[in-house]
């Protein structure tokens, strides 16, 4: 059994609504339903009465709700107790970061902090966006760094979580350069000759961004999927092999563009690109959870930096 199943079940009891709980738990409703079913399979009994609407518990579900609250309380209490005994943990910052940002943004950002703030001892967890958000919500990290777009937002309660915008990132189409240093493939392609497309998997955040680009395109794109993965770095390596067009974050291809290994495959137009924010989140300190002093000092420093740079030009990640 996984603790997130208990948290899912408790959320469902509190909302009496699968859709609402799925949104609060940052998962799709089908995935949320599967996790409730996994809990029921593990227990060997039904917890939810599926013969009625609105959602209500079976007699076993009513009994288990109290047990779930108690189990989760004990688990979280044990975790807090053990974490409090780790002296080193109080001077180390735990970061949950999506894979792409862990490779492109974080190394340079930490270097700048070492120069401008203080030496930082950090532990990075590279995850997909969903799991990175869960790490923050479940208390598994101090800071969450992730992409944000208004049409694909990270839904965290602003009354509980603080947020800073650290930068902006453009997502565009790229392809390998030929011997004349021009892209081997160029958008938009044609119906008769669709372009080989290197795509993200359905559960990847950047894949959702590409879907927005394609749906908003004033000129339809003709693409034929040839390969997919959930990691931008994997798509970049396939693009470097000349296997097709890939939509990649600008910061992920800075070196390849300078070395003329890759080039923009969109004719330098903004018709097929999207801009995202790079956001940093933390749980706001409270009497119940005060947080680490090092995190508080870092947050205050970043806030003062932003106030000082208030009217300055926004700097893309690739220029930093």
């Amino acid at each position: 059994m996984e603790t997130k199943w208990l948290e899912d079940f408790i959320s469902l009891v509190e909302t009496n609504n699968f859709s609402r709980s799925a949104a609060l738990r940052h998962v799709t409703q089908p995935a949320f339903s599967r996790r409730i079913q996994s809990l029921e399979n593990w227990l060997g009994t039904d917890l939810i009465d599926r013969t009625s609407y609105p959602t209500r518990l079976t007699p076993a579900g009513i009994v288990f709700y109290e047990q779930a609250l108690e189990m989760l309380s004990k688990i979280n209490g044990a975790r807090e107790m053990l974490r409090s005994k780790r002296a080193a943990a109080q001077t180390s910052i735990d970061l949950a970061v999506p894979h792409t940002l862990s490779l492109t943004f974080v190394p340079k950002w930490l270097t700048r902090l070492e120069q401008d703030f203080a030496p930082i001892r950090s532990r990075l967890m590279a995850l997909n966006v969903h799991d990175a958000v869960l790490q923050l919500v479940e208390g598994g990290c101090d800071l969450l760094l992730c992409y944000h777009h208004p049409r694909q937002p990270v839904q965290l309660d602003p009354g509980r979580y603080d947020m800073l915008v650290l930068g902006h990132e453009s997502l565009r189409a790229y392809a390998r350069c030929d011997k004349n240093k021009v892209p081997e493939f160029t958008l938009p392609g044609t119906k008769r000759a669709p372009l080989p497309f290197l795509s993200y998997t359905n559960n990847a955040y950047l894949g959702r961004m590409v879907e927005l680009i394609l749906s908003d395109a004033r000129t339809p794109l003709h693409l034929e999927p040839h390969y997919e993965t959930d990691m931008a770095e994997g798509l970049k390596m396939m693009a470097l092999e000349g296997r097709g067009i890939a939509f990649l974050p600008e910061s992920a291809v800075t070196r390849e563009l300078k070395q003329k290994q890759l080039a923009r495959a969109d004719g330098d137009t903004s018709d097929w690109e999207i801009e995202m924010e790079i956001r940093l989140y933390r749980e706001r300190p409270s009497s119940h959870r005060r947080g680490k002093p090092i995190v508080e000092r870092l947050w205050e420093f970043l806030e003062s930096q932003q106030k000082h740079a208030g009217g300055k030009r926004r700097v893309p990640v690739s220029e930093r």
Side-chain angles (χ1 to χ4, degrees), residues 22-245:
L24 291 172
R25 298 289 292 155
H26 305 288
V27 296
T28 62
Q29 183 174 332
F32 182 83
S33 297
R34 286 195 296 272
R35 283 171 19 178
I36 295 295
Q37 289 173 353
S38 295
L39 176 61
E40 291 176 317
N41 291 338
W42 186 84
L43 290 168
T45 187
D46 289 337
L47 301 175
I48 308 301
D49 183 352
R50 293 177 173 81
T51 66
S52 65
Y53 185 87
T55 300
R56 68 182 184 186
L57 300 178
T58 63
I62 294 172
V63 172
F64 184 69
Y65 174 60
E66 298 298 329
Q67 299 296 319
L69 288 173
E70 184 177 349
M71 283 190 286
L72 198 58
S73 176
K74 288 183 177 179
I75 291 170
N76 289 334
R79 181 174 63 177
E80 290 299 322
M81 179 185 68
L82 294 174
R83 284 181 174 176
S84 67
K85 293 181 180 297
R86 289 173 50 205
Q90 294 302 307
T91 59
S92 175
I93 298 177
D94 295 333
L95 293 159
V97 187
H99 293 285
T100 300
L101 287 172
S102 73
L103 296 172
T104 60
F105 182 83
V106 170
K108 292 181 180 179
W109 181 60
L110 289 178
T111 298
R112 291 197 306 274
L113 289 179
E114 292 271 346
Q115 296 169 349
D116 301 335
F117 172 65
I120 293 176
R121 180 177 179 179
S122 58
R123 183 173 71 98
L124 185 143
M125 293 168 278
L127 307 160
N128 60 46
V129 171
H130 169 263
D131 289 345
V133 173
L134 275 184
Q135 282 293 322
L136 181 66
V137 171
E138 296 177 352
C141 68
D142 302 307
L143 298 174
L144 163 69
L145 189 71
C146 63
Y147 289 124
H148 170 85
H149 188 274
R151 292 165 64 186
Q152 191 65 40
V154 173
Q155 296 179 336
L156 288 170
D157 181 4
R160 180 180 173 188
Y161 298 96
D162 293 323
M163 184 276 293
L164 293 170
V165 178
L166 299 186
H168 296 78
E169 178 85 278
S170 294
L171 187 70
R172 303 189 185 100
Y174 297 92
R176 185 175 70 175
C177 291
D178 62 17
K179 61 182 179 181
N180 296 317
K181 306 302 180 183
V182 297
E184 294 180 345
F185 307 103
T186 305
L187 296 176
T190 65
K191 286 186 177 181
R192 286 192 173 185
L195 300 171
F197 182 37
L198 310 174
S199 64
Y200 297 95
T201 53
N202 291 333
N203 63 344
Y205 185 88
L206 293 181
R208 304 282 177 85
M209 293 295 98
V210 174
E211 289 175 7
L212 291 180
I213 293 174
L214 299 182
S215 65
D216 292 346
R218 287 177 290 181
T219 302
L221 302 183
H222 302 283
L223 304 171
E224 183 177 352
H226 275 215
Y227 177 81
E228 70 174 28
T229 179
D230 59 353
M231 297 187 65
E233 195 67 16
L235 294 185
K236 182 176 76 172
M237 299 309 295
M238 291 295 285
L240 286 168
E241 291 294 323
R243 301 294 298 274
I245 282 179

